[in-house]
Amino acid sequence: MTDTRTIRIEAVRFNPETDQEPRRQSYDVPFTPDMSVLQGLQYIKDHLDGSLTFRWSCRMAVCGSCGMMINDTPKLSCETFLRDLYPGPVKVAPLDNFPIQRDLAIDQTGFLDKLAMIKPYIVAKQDKPLSEGTFRQTPAQLEAYYQYSQCINCLLCYAACPQFGLNDQFVGPAALSLLQRYNLDSRDVGWSVRADVANADIGVWECTVVGYCSEVCPKGVDPMHAINENKVNSALDYIGLKRLVGGR
Amino acid sequence: MQIISTDVVVIGGGGAGLRAAIAATEADPALSIALVSKVLPMRSHTVAAEGGSAGVVREDDSLEQHFHDTVAGGDWLCDQDAVEYFVRHCTEEMVQLERWGCPWSRKPDGSVNVRFFGGMTVQRTWFAADKSGFHILHTLFQTSYKYPSIKRFDEYFCADLLVEDGRVRGVLAIEIATGEMVLFACNAVILATGGAGRVFRQNTNAGIVTGEGMGLAFRKGAVLRDMEFVQWHPTCLPGTGILMSEACRGEGAILTNKDGYRYLQDYGLGPLDPWPRAKAMELGPRDRLSQAFWHEDNKGNTIQTPYGSAVNLDLRHLGEKKILERLPLITEAARTFAGVDPVKQPIPVRPAVHYTMGGIATNVHTETAVAGLYAAGECASVGIHGANRLGSNSLAELLVFGKVAGVRAAQHARSVRPASAERTARQADATATRLVRLIDSERGERTVTLRDEMMDAMEAGVGLFRTVNGLKAACAKLAELRQRYRRGVKLDDTNRAFNTEWLAAVELGAMLEVAEAMAHSALWRKESRGAHQRLDLPTRDDKRYLVHTIAKSGGDGTPSIKSAPVTITKSRPGARVYGGAGSKAELT
Ligand SMILES: Cc1cc2nc3c(=O)[nH]c(=O)nc-3n(C[C@H](O)[C@H](O)[C@H](O)COP(=O)(O)OP(=O)(O)OC[C@H]3O[C@@H](n4cnc5c(N)ncnc54)[C@H](O)[C@@H]3O)c2cc1C
Ligand code: SF4
Ligand code: FES
């Protein structure tokens, strides 16, 4: 069969019921060249220690649940391969900048509240009965926001963001990208209801253009760009001028 | 135990659950809706759907044709009243999604584009690149923020349904973060918990697709219909089972064996030319393509990989531009997970379990046998898929019947008097105690041991091709596993907070029952039809088996199987022919 080697995985452990501080635990994991870090963790859970806790679901990089720090970099564990980390050891830890819920699982509730803040839905300019069919949206109009609709909410960008590390109230890269996704959609006229969030202290102005968010994003979303587009709009709003980017 | 009183509980935050929740609140904004899901909604399995969703829009298409493709695709085991309702409502749901912001792929003039899909006569599959499920799910999830009466309970695991005098009165759930028990007291429950593909080893499904919604309903008096019909998707990566969407073939990819020969022409799907042609060769239905693979493998015409044999899915002739534009996700997945660049190399693929055609039996109104309990989406069997689901009919089903379930449950919740929450709580206590005891059971085997033996039994006995002896062996094995499970499972993790090992143990109990229903239904059906292929009984037998199977729980014992009539309105069973023979048949 395929060649099997062994690699050491050092996982952060934390149990809110019994632990004051996170600690590390090491496991020796046999692996084949096609095995991801996630599969390594599943091996541990199945064969070595059923108490190791982490989130996963699709195991094909679309659901966004398996993000974690792998050797200090935010990554999706299902698309990071053990062969590339050999000879190890591989350090896995919960995503930076979030409270730990248990072991590798972080508390995501703050992010969900931010999604609510940005009103992530179409505020329609016009309405017509469903029987009249779809609105037109040319490929170019689709292209204008499409990139920002690719976000899988994996939160790697928040783990990479130093400003979010300093102030967890910062609406942050993924939510601000989604805000821009709706602002740029030709079917939407909701930018004014989202402007408060964008213009707030915790909105676009908190960003200091480090750009690490865009670097770690596994889906090519480029949150930094979204935020900067909004800075232009936010500034124009402030001086009472019409928006340039995404305005209609 | 915390008690939360609400009007409607929706279990599941996938496509069906979100659509149902939105429909319920739009039907009656005064109702309180609890949307309960064991994962955040956007992690639901719908996110992984790639190819697209059916809905008639083209001039050269008609509801009639969508109806006939679906019924023939399902080998006439579809309830035709349900199919008729379904095809009539697909398109408005696609339009509704467009209004809510779904980034459907467009033609240059700004109208939506549609693609070919297996078994469909005309291009009628709406798509958003090859991330259709992802965009549909995120659109629904984000839109749900518009409705204040939808209250989400993310990462709550439903462990029991509370039924009194034949009516549903509540849901017992575990708050995953803390491990605390929560009782949702309510008047109506919608199950939208997805399929059960994970009872098999090689599958395309996310880890959460463990079928316990079906299990919960089954144990509480609802029946499971047509469980023997499990769909294998013909083009999945060996080992992981990661799906190479049917959209690949819709866009023109071809399948070749180890000699580079397009073998489908040998299995009633040819001739080779003219190509592409709807419902022929690679555009044939999934069951036929998977079965052809099996034969080709037996002839020794496949390629050997460390994870079983494979054939080649070849996209190269489409050219880099089209591949990247139409199939970006597939390209990325093949590169990452198979180390193959589809622009330059063919992708090795094999069949893997993909979809459960059967599920909790409902009528066209999504009502189950339990009053107040509704089911929609992959966990349900509303009767539209019959013996084989056509690609892109499932996403459409989530929307069409998710909406029906929401509207119906809202009406029901309004019309019944609430029960006493205390009485329901007493019933919940017994289950809660049993669940908590599971954590510190001192005896028993590891969950994983039982799970692996279950998967092996299903692969061996209830696979792509079945025999009486194989099925009997699987039934016996599953009964043994259920007995061993009842003796107790031993957990390493004895904590309450975020104990995923505990949840997996609860899931396993339900999976074993669902697996057993599949095996017994398959044993009962003494013919071959659609996805259910018996080597010992290779032909379709309309005289005796043009009927649904109905599995009823036998408690700790084996389920009982009986039959129920199929509703036939206007399409009499005919030969299910594809390829050249198909176009001839259609002309006559
Ligand atoms: C890889 C792949 C590609 C596909 N592509 C297509 C396609 O192109 N076109 C098409 O038509 N179909 C496709 N399908 C099929 C289709 O995607 C599924 O049938 C459909 O998404 C199922 O949706 P659902 O809402 O029923 O369930 P899911 O999306 O599976 O959601 C189930 C929900 O139930 C919740 N849940 C389950 N159990 C519990 C519990 N005990 N307690 C609390 N919550 C629970 C989960 O948390 C989740 O939120 C594809 C399937 C796969 C596997
Ligand atoms: S923007 Fe990128 S990194 Fe951030 S959550 Fe979305 S997909 Fe993940
Ligand atoms: S498991 Fe879904 S993104 Fe990794």
Side-chain angles (χ1 to χ4, degrees):
Chain A
M1 280 276 283
T2 42
D3 76 302
T4 304
R5 292 175 288 179
T6 299
I7 196 164
R8 173 159 293 191
I9 296 185
E10 291 177 10
V12 165
R13 303 300 309 271
F14 176 77
N15 178 351
E17 290 174 18
T18 53
D19 295 342
Q20 297 296 327
E21 287 293 320
R23 59 203 162 81
R24 283 192 174 274
Q25 192 167 351
S26 296
Y27 304 92
D28 289 326
V29 176
F31 74 100
T32 47
D34 56 341
M35 265 173 77
S36 61
V37 172
L38 174 63
Q39 284 170 298
L41 295 173
Q42 286 168 331
Y43 180 89
I44 296 172
K45 188 154 187 89
D46 284 357
H47 302 288
L48 306 176
D49 181 352
S51 72
L52 181 68
T53 299
F54 47 93
R55 288 189 181 94
W56 68 281
S57 184
C58 70
R59 48 85 172 105
M60 53 185 285
V62 292
C63 78
S65 29
C66 71
M68 57 188 72
M69 305 302 292
I70 299 176
N71 289 342
D72 301 320
T73 305
K75 294 229 184 236
L76 297 179
S77 59
C78 68
E79 61 165 7
T80 306
F81 290 88
L82 289 168
R83 59 172 187 259
D84 299 330
L85 306 171
Y86 190 76
V90 182
K91 289 192 291 174
V92 294
L95 285 177
D96 278 352
N97 302 337
F98 291 94
I100 308 184
Q101 212 158 32
R102 167 114 194 238
D103 297 347
L104 302 170
I106 51 142
D107 185 346
Q108 306 160 297
T109 45
F111 172 69
L112 294 164
D113 295 342
K114 286 168 185 161
L115 280 188
M117 277 164 72
I118 60 138
K119 303 200 169 37
Y121 42 81
I122 295 280
V123 178
K125 154 162 63 178
Q126 50 183 142
D127 220 354
K128 56 177 182 180
L130 290 183
S131 57
E132 284 177 27
T134 58
F135 286 105
R136 281 180 193 264
Q137 182 167 68
T138 63
Q141 288 172 319
L142 174 66
E143 196 53 38
Y145 69 87
Y146 193 61
Q147 179 208 143
Y148 300 133
S149 73
Q150 301 286 318
C151 170
I152 59 173
N153 303 333
C154 65
L155 306 182
L156 301 191
C157 51
Y158 286 79
C161 174
Q163 286 309 107
F164 179 66
L166 294 173
N167 174 11
D168 68 2
Q169 297 303 301
F170 175 36
V171 180
L176 288 171
S177 302
L178 193 64
L179 178 145
Q180 188 65 343
R181 174 248 174 278
Y182 282 101
N183 279 351
L184 292 176
D185 193 315
S186 56
R187 296 165 291 190
D188 182 272
V189 291
W191 65 271
S192 61
V193 299
R194 299 185 195 104
D196 284 352
V197 181
N199 298 347
D201 288 348
I202 55 167
V204 290
W205 299 107
E206 183 74 19
C207 169
T208 54
V209 206
V210 173
Y212 192 27
C213 55
S214 301
E215 221 172 285
V216 300
C217 176
K219 296 290 148 188
V221 173
D222 201 353
M224 187 179 72
H225 190 64
I227 292 173
N228 281 309
E229 284 179 348
N230 262 298
K231 280 188 183 163
V232 177
N233 288 331
S234 178
L236 292 170
D237 264 4
Y238 186 74
I239 56 172
L241 284 174
K242 201 175 170 307
R243 298 155 15 102
L244 283 181
V245 183
R248 277 170 297 281
Chain B
M1 184 179 322
Q2 193 193 347
I3 300 182
I4 296 172
S5 290
T6 181
D7 294 307
V8 178
V9 176
V10 180
I11 310 181
L18 285 164
R19 185 67 189 90
I22 293 174
T25 187
E26 285 193 334
D28 190 344
L31 291 176
S32 59
I33 318 284
L35 181 64
V36 184
S37 166
K38 65 178 175 177
V39 292
L40 293 184
M42 66 279 205
R43 318 296 189 209
S44 302
H45 182 56
T46 300
V47 81
E50 297 165 0
S53 182
V56 170
V57 275
R58 280 168 62 106
E59 297 273 305
D60 59 353
D61 199 3
S62 67
L63 298 180
E64 205 67 355
Q65 288 188 80
H66 191 189
F67 172 90
H68 284 293
D69 288 347
T70 302
V71 172
D75 227 347
W76 280 273
L77 210 69
C78 313
D79 284 325
Q80 296 180 10
D81 54 342
V83 178
E84 217 168 326
Y85 182 87
F86 168 69
V87 299
R88 222 175 330 119
H89 290 85
C90 289
T91 308
E92 72 190 27
E93 286 299 319
M94 302 313 134
V95 174
Q96 177 66 78
L97 275 180
E98 196 269 348
R99 298 292 171 78
W100 284 335
C102 186
W104 293 122
S105 295
R106 305 279 178 157
K107 294 187 207 154
D109 70 353
S111 60
V112 294
N113 208 347
V114 280
R115 63 163 49 121
F116 273 123
F117 239 65
M120 301 279 192
T121 326
V122 186
Q123 298 175 47
R124 66 166 71 99
T125 297
W126 297 49
F127 62 99
D130 59 354
K131 303 184 181 184
S132 309
F134 165 81
H135 285 303
I136 290 174
L137 185 69
H138 280 247
T139 299
L140 289 169
F141 172 58
Q142 288 159 17
T143 300
S144 78
Y145 275 95
K146 238 167 60 176
Y147 302 93
S149 49
I150 300 176
K151 187 152 167 31
R152 286 207 327 268
F153 295 86
D154 298 331
E155 303 198 315
Y156 281 64
F157 182 100
C158 294
D160 202 10
L161 293 174
L162 302 163
V163 177
E164 287 161 19
D165 311 323
R167 347 188 106 261
V168 72
R169 289 302 189 183
V171 176
L172 178 69
I174 300 168
E175 180 182 7
I176 297 177
T178 59
E180 295 304 321
M181 298 290 165
V182 179
L183 170 69
F184 293 91
C186 62
N187 286 337
V189 173
I190 300 170
L191 280 163
T193 48
R198 284 262 157 186
V199 301
F200 289 84
R201 186 178 293 288
Q202 286 214 15
N203 65 72
T204 64
N205 291 187
I208 55 170
V209 188
T210 46
E212 71 268 13
M214 294 180 194
L216 293 182
F218 190 47
R219 231 169 302 148
K220 289 299 166 94
V223 294
L224 298 181
R225 181 162 63 199
D226 294 342
M227 291 301 285
E228 65 275 34
F229 296 105
V230 175
Q231 180 167 79
W232 273 258
H233 199 295
T235 59
C236 310
L237 298 182
T240 56
I242 288 173
L243 180 74
M244 296 292 112
S245 165
E246 195 160 281
C248 298
R249 286 174 283 124
E251 296 296 343
I254 58 169
L255 280 166
T256 58
N257 68 12
K258 75 172 195 319
D259 307 316
Y261 173 71
R262 284 175 69 193
Y263 60 92
L264 291 174
Q265 58 192 300
D266 296 351
Y267 301 97
L269 290 152
L272 212 49
D273 291 309
W275 179 80
R277 182 176 30 156
K279 296 172 78 172
M281 292 300 290
E282 286 81 5
L283 296 176
R286 293 171 181 182
D287 55 341
R288 290 292 168 83
L289 266 58
S290 296
Q291 289 152 15
F293 169 89
W294 189 90
H295 289 295
E296 210 50 11
D297 193 27
N298 278 359
K299 288 185 197 162
N301 290 344
T302 50
I303 302 151
Q304 299 317 306
T305 83
Y307 304 99
S309 29
V311 287
N312 279 324
L313 179 70
D314 200 340
L315 280 69
R316 288 173 296 181
H317 53 283
L318 301 179
E320 182 162 9
K321 186 170 173 291
K322 187 162 181 190
I323 293 176
L324 294 182
E325 178 197 315
R326 296 290 178 87
L327 302 163
L329 181 81
I330 288 311
T331 309
E332 202 180 299
R335 285 174 180 162
T336 310
F337 297 104
V340 167
D341 183 353
V343 176
K344 302 196 185 98
Q345 298 152 282
I347 312 167
V349 292
R350 57 169 291 120
V353 164
H354 183 61
Y355 185 84
T356 33
M357 263 76 72
I360 304 160
T362 75
N363 59 15
V364 190
H365 308 304
T366 72
E367 292 162 339
T368 70
V370 178
L373 182 66
Y374 301 80
E378 196 175 332
C379 72
S381 161
V382 65
I384 62 169
H385 303 310
N388 173 57
R389 167 184 72 97
L390 292 188
S392 78
N393 265 355
S394 171
L395 289 173
E397 174 189 24
L398 308 180
L399 303 162
V400 170
F401 292 103
K403 178 176 176 185
V404 173
V407 171
R408 290 277 162 169
Q411 278 168 0
H412 184 85
R414 264 273 170 261
S415 69
V416 296
R417 276 217 317 271
S420 120
E422 280 78 58
R423 192 173 140 201
T424 313
R426 274 200 298 282
Q427 197 199 125
D429 273 337
T431 316
T433 311
R434 183 173 57 75
L435 288 172
V436 173
R437 217 180 286 138
L438 199 62
I439 299 187
D440 26 51
S441 153
E442 292 290 316
R443 311 171 296 133
E445 299 170 80
R446 285 175 62 86
T447 314
V448 180
T449 311
L450 300 177
R451 183 201 69 197
D452 284 352
E453 285 186 38
M454 170 190 71
M455 288 175 164
D456 290 342
M458 293 304 282
E459 295 273 347
V462 199
L464 198 44
F465 282 89
R466 301 151 177 190
T467 62
V468 64
N469 290 334
L471 285 166
K472 280 188 174 154
C475 289
K477 182 73 192 182
L478 291 166
E480 173 208 314
L481 290 172
R482 283 191 66 197
Q483 204 170 28
R484 282 159 61 189
Y485 178 81
R486 275 199 298 279
R487 267 186 243 135
V489 287
K490 177 137 180 41
L491 306 185
D492 298 342
D493 194 344
T494 53
N495 303 287
R496 289 288 284 271
F498 222 118
N499 185 339
T500 51
E501 197 192 19
W502 178 33
L503 303 179
V506 180
E507 278 173 358
L508 180 66
M511 283 169 106
L512 285 168
E513 285 182 62
V514 170
E516 209 179 23
M518 287 175 175
H520 280 270
S521 304
L523 184 61
W524 186 90
R525 185 173 289 281
K526 295 175 186 57
E527 64 159 354
S528 288
R529 183 187 295 270
H532 172 71
Q533 292 290 316
R534 293 273 303 252
L535 285 174
D536 47 347
L537 301 155
T539 49
R540 195 174 89 187
D541 177 356
D542 283 342
K543 253 225 219 66
R544 290 159 63 207
Y545 291 102
L546 185 60
V547 286
H548 295 296
T549 55
I550 300 286
K552 205 169 175 351
S553 168
D556 288 346
T558 52
S560 59
I561 310 294
K562 54 181 189 131
S563 65
V566 174
T567 308
I568 292 181
T569 55
K570 56 185 185 194
S571 173
R572 307 304 308 170
R576 203 173 150 230
V577 277
Y578 292 95
S583 20
K584 250 178 262 148
E586 269 150 29
L587 290 176
T588 54

